[in-house]
Amino acid sequence: MKRAIPVLVLSVAGLIPVWRYAPSHDTGSSSTVTEAAAPASTPSASSSGGTTSTVVSGSTIDTEKGPVQVEVTFDGDKIASVRMLQQPNHPQTTAAVPQLIEETLQAQSADIDTVSGATVTSDGYKESLQAAIDAKG
């Protein structure tokens, strides 16, 4: 019984910081993804060796983690590559981006799965990617 009281007191004392913890990105508002005012860029085309390559930037999507924007290079109608122009400085985002790009190249569309643990970034990526695809026409 003599040990039970100190163990209980120390357990409660150890849990207090956990209860009081508030993530620094928490704004107290609901999590939403909103599109920024910047529209997708006008496609720019270059031709080399008979293949037409078109580079299109997607819209900048403001997320609760930070802005997301992609740049898509098309070879004809095929998505040849995707590059992140803007992304949140977050470990989950850094891990998710290669996965999102790989899935995009396989699917050849913005109809890809969300990466677990990086849902906000995935949603912003897909929205910016779709804007770039739409801008290419």
Side-chain angles (χ1 to χ4, degrees):
M1 186 65 178
K2 291 181 182 181
R3 291 184 187 173
I5 293 175
V7 168
L8 181 62
V9 169
L10 290 173
S11 296
V12 170
L15 288 174
I16 289 174
V18 174
W19 290 328
R20 295 183 48 111
Y21 175 75
S24 61
H25 67 275
D26 186 15
T27 59
S29 62
S30 63
S31 47
T32 58
V33 177
T34 57
E35 185 170 343
S41 71
T42 307
S44 62
S46 65
S47 181
S48 61
T51 307
T52 303
S53 187
T54 307
V55 178
V56 182
S57 295
S59 299
T60 301
I61 309 301
D62 287 326
T63 70
E64 66 185 56
K65 301 283 186 186
V68 176
Q69 184 181 25
V70 300
E71 178 182 81
V72 183
T73 302
F74 295 92
D75 281 337
D77 288 333
K78 182 181 179 199
I79 297 174
S81 67
V82 179
R83 185 170 70 104
M84 294 294 286
L85 296 178
Q86 296 183 62
Q87 71 184 47
N89 185 15
H90 200 271
Q92 282 125 340
T93 296
T94 304
V97 168
Q99 203 172 346
L100 291 166
I101 292 172
E102 182 181 331
E103 284 191 38
T104 300
L105 295 176
Q106 288 176 359
Q108 289 295 303
S109 74
D111 187 22
I112 59 174
D113 291 333
T114 298
V115 175
S116 179
T119 303
V120 171
T121 300
S122 296
D123 291 344
Y125 172 91
K126 290 191 287 187
E127 195 172 334
S128 182
L129 176 63
Q130 186 61 57
I133 292 169
D134 292 346
K136 188 210 179 268

